[in-house]
Amino acid sequence: MRGAVVVTGTGLVTPGGIGTDATWSSVCGGRSAARPDPELVGLPVAISCRVPGFAPDTVPVRQPWRYDRSTLLLLAAAHEAMADAGLSSGSWDGTRVALVVGSAAGGIGTLETQHRRLLSGGPTNVSPLTLTGYLPNMAAGHVALELGIRGPSLQTSTACASGATAVITAALLLAAGQCDLAVACGTDAMVTPLCAAAFAKMGALSRRDRDPARASRPFDRDRDGFVLAEGAGVLILERAEHAAARRIRPHATLAGYATTSDAHHATAPDPRGTGLRRAVTTALGAADATLTEVDHINAHGTGTPLNDRAEATTIRELFTRHTPTVTSAKGCLGHTMGAAGAIEAVLTVASIVRQTVPPTANFTAPDDHTDQIDVVAGSARPQQIDLALSHSLGFGGHNTVLAFTR
């Protein structure tokens, strides 16, 4: 195993805005991005969080019409992250660069569109680009092609923990010496009729169609589900000595990480938080840190009654000697599914860089499970943050925790 892994670049394309600064501003302002969605009219839930003003033809790629929306969001975020890290595809040895993309659903929008075309016009109406747009590995394949990445190119899928799992996988590739740089990503564009109908049927979505801005309410007493969203997040990882040789000052260090499984239920988290607890303590052990050193937690915080109850209970029972601040970006951005882990990892790094905790939008009153944790609400809170955790949980019982240090 080789040296410390640092974050030298970040990129975001989210419902809060295009770019890390735009998203950070939206989240710190506590502004919800949820809006009525014309494409979901007639479904049980017709609100969503989409990326405002995203124009695919502005993404610097050769043939944007070939790509699923999730790949275009990812490419836009990747270009920002590379520029932030002082990189370009012409400046690196592509054989020493790895790419890991986390996604829950791949190009599901392409698949749904082409299925409708099959039903309406028969097989001759189906695009020959259907599978290259849909297959879960193709986002990694397309991005590697666009950026000239010729090292390991992988896709991870652990539902809503996918982006965070991608960060871990990228760090392991660096630690094993398989690459010198790693582009760790999460992306999903699951605001589609089929996905919206399916999540609504499960009872996972908020039903506040008449008040979308107040629909996503992580940890709040009146939460009733999440708001479906789209987005992408990218982190450039490299070993500390490699960044030093490039004379790039890291944003933060990825000091520890861990992933565990609940083995409890297909969709519900373990209410005792056993798996999440093990992920937190294992990640801190890898970081050679203790619970008392954790200053801040960027929570998974979906706004569903079951998730928030399990996560809040775990935080309360783990942190008995001090109380780290807690926030969830999903009150502002909605739930970006497989992208969430990478997006929230970027926001956790931003909290360390800016020594600020964004508020949890729409958190106005705790319940019996959330009243003993320090959920930041109302406005952004300045705070000294030397060590912060990012939690990600996914259907299937996946728990992923990333530990970042200053």
Side-chain angles (χ1 to χ4, degrees):
M1 303 291 280
R2 304 191 182 190
V5 172
V6 296
V7 181
T8 54
T10 63
L12 292 178
V13 177
T14 77
I18 299 172
T20 301
D21 288 345
T23 298
W24 177 257
S25 176
S26 292
V27 173
C28 283
R31 298 186 292 273
S32 170
R35 302 285 186 275
D37 191 324
E39 292 189 26
L40 305 182
V41 170
L43 297 176
V45 175
I47 60 174
S48 73
C49 294
R50 291 187 185 269
V51 178
F54 181 72
D57 59 0
T58 64
V59 181
V61 298
R62 287 166 288 187
Q63 297 173 317
W65 48 270
R66 299 176 69 91
Y67 299 142
D68 184 80
R69 185 174 176 85
S70 61
T71 299
L72 291 168
L73 296 171
L74 173 56
L75 279 163
H79 280 288
E80 184 199 3
M82 290 172 58
D84 186 35
L87 296 166
S88 69
S89 56
S91 69
W92 61 24
D93 174 3
T95 64
R96 296 296 300 165
V97 180
L99 170 69
V100 188
V101 179
S103 175
I108 187 70
T110 296
L111 185 66
E112 285 191 40
T113 298
Q114 296 306 317
H115 188 234
R116 288 194 294 271
R117 293 181 63 164
L118 173 67
L119 296 178
S120 65
T124 59
N125 203 35
V126 174
S127 168
L129 301 176
T130 301
L131 292 176
T132 55
Y134 162 66
L135 290 175
N137 71 302
M138 288 309 296
H142 291 315
V143 173
L145 177 65
E146 290 288 346
L147 303 184
I149 294 173
R150 295 181 172 82
S153 174
L154 309 171
Q155 196 101 2
T156 63
S157 188
T158 51
C160 303
S162 297
T165 305
V167 173
I168 291 179
T169 306
L172 290 171
L173 290 170
L174 281 164
Q178 296 293 306
C179 56
D180 297 322
L181 282 160
V183 185
C185 323
T187 189
D188 258 322
M190 291 178 63
V191 186
T192 67
L194 178 60
C195 292
F199 280 121
K201 189 73 173 179
M202 295 175 68
L205 300 184
S206 171
R207 297 297 180 118
R208 286 188 173 87
D209 276 29
R210 295 184 178 180
D211 192 10
R214 291 165 52 84
S216 182
R217 311 179 65 82
F219 299 117
D220 187 76
R221 180 182 58 198
D222 296 325
R223 64 193 183 273
D224 68 336
F226 64 79
V227 176
L228 197 55
E230 62 179 9
V234 176
L235 299 91
I236 304 295
L237 304 180
E238 54 191 301
R239 287 187 294 277
E241 64 268 28
H242 190 270
R246 293 199 307 116
R247 299 183 179 180
I248 293 294
R249 182 179 181 182
H251 298 317
T253 297
L254 178 59
Y257 40 83
T259 183
T260 65
S261 299
D262 280 348
H264 167 74
H265 188 274
T267 57
D270 182 344
R272 301 163 299 176
T274 306
L276 177 58
R277 179 192 299 263
R278 284 192 293 114
V280 169
T281 55
T282 303
L284 289 175
D288 196 24
T290 65
L291 290 165
T292 58
E293 295 177 73
V294 177
D295 300 307
H296 169 59
I297 298 172
N298 189 304
H300 190 60
T302 59
T304 61
L306 292 180
N307 177 92
D308 290 6
R309 182 184 308 161
E311 190 171 15
T313 298
T314 304
I315 293 170
R316 185 186 69 231
E317 293 181 353
L318 268 177
F319 295 94
T320 55
R321 297 178 62 185
H322 84 300
T323 306
T325 54
V326 176
T327 193
S328 168
K330 293 183 176 71
C332 174
L333 306 180
H335 194 342
T336 55
M337 314 311 295
I343 291 171
E344 292 159 14
V346 171
L347 293 174
T348 305
V349 170
S351 283
I352 291 173
V353 171
R354 305 173 197 224
Q355 297 288 283
T356 301
V357 178
T360 302
N362 292 321
F363 177 80
T364 58
D367 65 11
D368 291 343
H369 299 281
T370 60
D371 64 352
Q372 294 180 52
I373 62 174
D374 184 10
V375 180
V376 176
S379 59
R381 183 188 300 179
Q383 181 190 354
Q384 179 172 332
I385 304 173
D386 295 318
L387 193 162
L389 303 180
S390 182
H391 291 178
S392 295
L393 286 65
F395 282 179
H398 304 288
N399 306 287
T400 301
V401 172
L402 307 175
F404 294 99
T405 56
R406 196 173 185 179

